[in-house]
Amino acid sequence: MKPTGHLLTLALCLLTALVTAAAPRKFTLQSPSGTLRVEVAAADSITYRLYHGDDLMLGDSPLSLTIGDGRVLGAGDRLSGTSRRSADEKIVTPIYRKQSIEDKYNELTLRFKEYNVIFRAYDSGMAYRFETIGRKPFTVVSERAAFRFPADHKAYIPYVRGERGTATTEIQFWNSFENKYVYSELSAWRDGVLAFLPILIESEGGKKLCITEADLLDYPGMYLSPEGPGTSLRGVFAPYPAKVVPGGHNGLEGVVEGREPYIARFDGPARLPWRVVIVAAEDAELADNDLVYALATPAKGDFSWVKPGKVAWDWWNDWNLYGVDFKTGVNNDTYKYYIDFAAEHGIEYVIFDEGWTKLYTADLMQVVPEIDMPMLVDYAASKNVGIILWAGYNALNRDIEGVCRHYAAMGVKGFKVDFLNRDDQQMVDFHHRAAQIAARYGLMLDFHGTYKPAGLQRTCPNVINFEAVDGLEQLKWANEIDQVTYEVQLPFIRQVAGPMDYTQGAMRNASKSSYRAVNSEPMSQGTRCRQLAQYVVFESPLNMLCDSPSNYRSEPECLAFITATPTVWNETRILTGRIGEYIATARRSGETWYVGAMTDWNARELMLDLAFLGDGNFEMECYTDGPNADRAARDYRKHTETVPADRKITVRMAPGGGFAAKITPMR
């Protein structure tokens, strides 16, 4: 029997509907200038491609969430609608390397019944996030975040510390987020070893991709691991802890005993972190990227009480004073000396590092008898110096509210919180919760032994610094180490995520051949001027003076430069840079500019263009490597000159060298 016209029409309609349902919906999202393009496809899965100009940076990269009831968000759900918007705003930054930043982007939102997927395109990169709408509690069993490259690129890989492919994934979830970068092809990734963020990928033509995340407040942090034959990476997330017990360093860490069958749990609507892919045609663009800060949730409330500044630090120099008439160590006389030193030189804070509480108690109320804490805090306040206390994670977490209340009432200004060593959802939530509680009592936090910054510094500006860096402390014990090369990689990778407590300022300086690890009288690698330059190049709102007050008193010129250098800025300019080789940075505070430059182990000459100074005459106080700095790394020369009319200066640096300058208008 032949089909009637009505049946033919019905059949054609059904066929059309099936084809339409299976066909992907495709969308193109361009950055404001059109330089960057994101192509999104939504059908059986959601994928995206990323282009920079005509260059494919990421191929079809899938994203999805598997939730506890078995559904996969981002896999075959019916698209209920889309929306687009553009933004061009100025973000005023209270504590940052710039007074304000431009927040300019185009946005595409894919709307589904119970969730949205939001894409943003900036001229300097892209980001996407999931946003759930449902009111019911749910768990996230897994997240698929894949980054598929068009070829086997080279990368700067920050492997989890100490792991060489034999450790379990669970052991790797317990780490301090400190390690050097391994430069290799993606296909040479070490078997079974995770890497933490940020990670830098080299694309064709010298373009770079920096992968990180932002607005991480209540979700596990992302690691990366290979997916496929050297051309794809996937996100890996620590499952939610089933039980946490005291352990690790002096019982101050939280050791996970068992995991839940999910990575995150929520009681209602949730906004997951932004997955961020920064694109740079030139290396210097990486060192001047603001995406992590721009994508973070803005602060609520008044944080004008947060006071950035310098810190006289005790631990790196092992409380090692000389020329004094008392036995140095964790005691009242030593800390009064540190306080006096800070007061004499306009240093805002002194930190009491590990040792001021009774060992193995994990109790911040049990102060050792050698310390009279109320007396020392009052003594410091009388000299306009604030005290910051070191605190292990377990010691603070057992009674955050009580500890903050007690020490804030005493006059303490903040805590350096250490040995967190995880980034599962429970630990990420601790960071946010601790910041909120500390803010209620007017306390600052400096997180050590923790994951990279991911926007919390904007949401809670009292979180004034982070470690997550293989800092100068390594030179106390590591003989086989190349800190110099690492220091000219950091501004292009780790610092893209935010500030870092690198703890610079060594007055004992060593050439490549003369360096050795000494715990009680440590030295730096590279020249004296390199240490000075780091106060300009490295972003650090709460910035340590790592060396002994006795050593600084013997070096008044260098001490004067360090203490005069601000820790937050009105303006930042990256003058030139090449990852792993050199960098030169200029930062402005008021009318005064500071310039810092560093090189690798190669002697180098850079021509710096200071045209940004504008009209007028300027005086430049320079600190340059001395003629013998390649052998005696402490050799430097200080001189003052007028900035040339053409605004071009030549900087010469010794191997492992540096350059620092302070530029002021001439009246």
Side-chain angles (χ1 to χ4, degrees):
M1 181 178 70
K2 294 183 180 180
T4 65
H6 176 72
L7 289 175
L8 276 173
T9 301
L10 180 60
L12 287 171
C13 288
L14 288 172
L15 180 60
T16 301
L18 287 171
V19 172
T20 302
R25 297 282 303 277
K26 295 186 177 181
F27 308 90
T28 298
L29 178 67
Q30 289 191 315
S31 67
S33 72
T35 302
L36 187 144
R37 184 171 83 257
V38 184
E39 294 182 354
V40 181
D44 292 336
S45 63
I46 300 174
T47 62
Y48 69 94
R49 287 186 172 196
L50 176 63
Y51 291 85
H52 187 271
D54 294 328
D55 295 326
L56 177 65
M57 310 302 291
L58 287 174
D60 291 326
S61 300
L63 52 105
S64 64
L65 289 179
T66 300
I67 60 176
D69 62 7
R71 287 181 296 150
V72 181
L73 309 187
D77 293 322
R78 182 176 178 180
L79 189 63
S80 60
T82 64
S83 62
R84 294 177 180 266
R85 74 183 186 98
S86 298
D88 187 358
E89 301 172 354
K90 184 170 74 172
I91 298 174
V92 177
T93 59
I95 300 171
Y96 197 55
R97 60 177 182 257
K98 301 173 184 176
Q99 189 171 358
S100 64
I101 64 173
E102 184 183 66
D103 192 27
K104 188 175 183 180
Y105 59 85
N106 292 325
E107 183 177 278
L108 166 69
T109 300
L110 306 182
R111 301 191 182 279
F112 300 88
K113 183 178 179 181
E114 293 187 352
Y115 65 96
N116 301 322
V117 182
I118 306 168
F119 290 87
R120 282 189 186 175
Y122 294 78
D123 287 334
S124 61
M126 64 150 288
Y128 75 84
R129 80 185 317 170
F130 277 88
E131 179 182 75
T132 66
I133 301 169
R135 298 289 174 182
K136 296 179 181 179
F138 70 98
T139 60
V140 178
V141 175
S142 63
E143 176 185 347
R144 188 173 192 196
F147 305 90
R148 293 181 171 173
F149 307 98
D152 182 14
H153 296 319
K154 282 195 169 183
Y156 292 83
I157 307 172
Y159 290 116
V160 170
R161 170 173 286 283
E163 309 304 340
R164 296 295 182 267
T166 58
T168 65
T169 300
E170 175 58 39
I171 291 175
Q172 294 182 67
F173 288 146
W174 187 24
N175 76 94
S176 63
F177 303 91
E178 301 168 279
N179 209 353
K180 300 294 189 289
Y181 300 106
V182 174
Y183 181 57
S184 74
E185 290 82 5
L186 290 171
S187 59
W189 194 292
R190 293 172 179 165
D191 290 342
V193 185
L194 302 177
F196 50 79
L197 302 179
I199 185 172
L200 190 65
I201 313 293
E202 282 189 349
S203 188
E204 300 299 328
K207 294 182 180 180
K208 307 291 195 304
L209 289 171
C210 185
I211 300 173
T212 190
E213 58 189 336
D215 212 25
L216 179 66
L217 299 175
D218 186 22
Y219 196 77
M222 184 169 71
Y223 297 86
L224 290 175
S225 181
E227 179 185 66
T231 59
S232 182
L233 297 175
R234 64 182 180 92
V236 178
F237 305 86
Y240 195 90
K243 182 181 179 181
V244 179
V245 299
H249 178 77
N250 293 338
L252 294 171
E253 300 177 55
V255 179
V256 175
E257 292 188 348
R259 299 276 186 178
E260 300 288 0
Y262 51 82
I263 64 173
R265 63 189 188 192
F266 298 99
D267 292 329
R271 293 193 307 169
L272 274 60
W274 292 102
R275 306 282 163 241
V276 183
V277 182
I278 293 162
V279 184
E282 303 291 339
D283 289 5
E285 296 171 17
L286 290 164
D288 195 25
N289 190 281
D290 302 310
L291 277 194
V292 171
Y293 192 94
L295 288 163
T297 298
K300 295 180 180 179
D302 178 17
F303 286 89
S304 60
W305 53 270
V306 178
K307 184 181 179 184
K310 299 281 183 8
V311 186
W313 186 33
D314 51 8
W315 181 85
W316 194 79
N317 57 79
D318 200 25
W319 296 266
N320 202 346
L321 306 173
Y322 50 86
V324 298
D325 58 2
F326 56 87
K327 191 70 174 177
T328 61
V330 180
N331 57 50
N332 290 330
D333 287 337
T334 298
Y335 280 120
K336 287 180 75 173
Y337 189 93
Y338 275 80
I339 291 165
D340 290 342
F341 166 72
E344 290 169 18
H345 298 282
I347 299 168
E348 290 86 352
Y349 301 101
V350 170
I351 194 166
F352 293 13
D353 213 285
E354 186 176 16
W356 66 271
T357 59
K358 292 182 179 178
L359 196 62
Y360 306 121
T361 64
D363 187 347
L364 295 175
M365 300 300 186
Q366 294 195 42
V367 181
V368 296
E370 295 83 1
I371 293 290
D372 183 341
M373 188 65 72
M375 180 275 292
L376 288 173
V377 174
D378 287 346
Y379 182 76
S382 72
K383 293 175 173 281
N384 200 31
V385 174
I387 298 300
I388 295 173
L389 301 176
W390 184 93
Y393 160 68
N394 274 335
L396 184 61
N397 188 44
R398 65 190 295 177
D399 183 15
I400 305 175
E401 191 87 35
V403 166
C404 288
R405 183 188 306 112
H406 174 76
Y407 284 105
M410 190 183 294
V412 168
K413 301 303 181 185
F415 290 99
K416 173 184 173 181
V417 188
D418 207 348
F419 290 104
L420 299 118
N421 286 9
R422 296 175 9 233
D423 67 347
D424 49 53
Q425 186 188 27
Q426 187 183 87
M427 183 56 78
V428 171
D429 176 70
F430 168 80
H431 282 69
H432 191 196
R433 181 165 48 90
Q436 292 173 317
I437 294 170
R440 290 205 296 268
Y441 293 96
L443 296 169
M444 299 184 298
L445 296 179
D446 176 11
F447 286 122
H448 268 237
T450 191
Y451 54 89
K452 79 282 170 192
L456 185 59
Q457 65 273 27
R458 181 184 181 193
T459 307
C460 300
N462 62 313
V463 178
I464 199 165
N465 216 347
F466 300 79
E467 190 181 28
V469 66
D470 214 38
L472 205 70
E473 66 179 4
Q474 304 300 320
L475 298 178
K476 285 171 68 71
W477 52 71
N479 279 307
E480 300 300 321
I481 192 170
D482 182 356
Q483 206 71 12
V484 161
T485 300
Y486 182 62
E487 288 169 348
V488 286
Q489 294 170 336
L490 288 175
F492 308 94
I493 311 175
R494 161 60 182 84
Q495 195 164 272
V496 175
M500 56 189 189
D501 196 359
Y502 187 77
T503 65
Q504 63 267 32
M507 294 293 103
R508 290 188 176 93
N509 315 110
S511 64
K512 193 173 188 177
S513 60
S514 64
Y515 164 76
R516 67 187 188 283
V518 182
N519 186 70
S520 61
E521 294 186 285
M523 63 189 74
S524 70
Q525 289 184 349
T527 69
R528 172 70 55 78
C529 288
R530 183 185 197 82
Q531 291 295 300
L532 301 185
Q534 288 174 7
Y535 285 94
V536 182
V537 174
F538 292 161
E539 180 189 357
S540 187
L542 191 69
N543 210 339
M544 303 288 169
L545 280 76
C546 70
D547 218 327
S548 164
S550 300
N551 288 343
Y552 286 124
R553 290 186 189 280
S554 299
E555 301 286 352
E557 287 183 344
C558 295
L559 177 61
F561 179 84
I562 291 170
T563 56
T565 305
T567 64
V568 293
W569 305 90
N570 298 119
E571 189 176 351
T572 289
R573 293 173 180 263
I574 307 302
L575 304 182
T576 187
R578 189 174 178 85
I579 183 170
E581 297 183 17
Y582 59 90
I583 187 168
T585 302
R587 303 191 195 268
R588 178 178 64 83
S589 177
E591 293 185 322
T592 303
W593 283 90
Y594 291 78
V595 176
M598 301 189 300
T599 183
D600 56 10
W601 285 116
N602 294 301
R604 195 174 303 276
E605 183 175 294
L606 296 177
M607 193 283 289
L608 303 182
D609 188 344
L610 307 182
F612 57 83
L613 292 174
D615 297 333
N617 296 319
F618 294 85
E619 184 177 81
M620 183 166 61
E621 177 185 289
C622 300
Y623 296 79
T624 58
D625 290 333
N628 298 301
D630 59 331
R631 299 173 60 199
R634 65 185 178 276
D635 185 28
Y636 78 94
R637 295 291 179 269
K638 177 189 173 185
H639 65 277
T640 300
E641 61 184 60
T642 300
V643 176
D646 67 0
R647 298 295 189 252
K648 291 180 173 59
I649 63 170
T650 299
V651 172
R652 296 177 178 85
M653 294 180 284
F659 167 84
K662 179 181 179 181
I663 305 173
T664 53
M666 297 173 64
R667 303 301 184 189

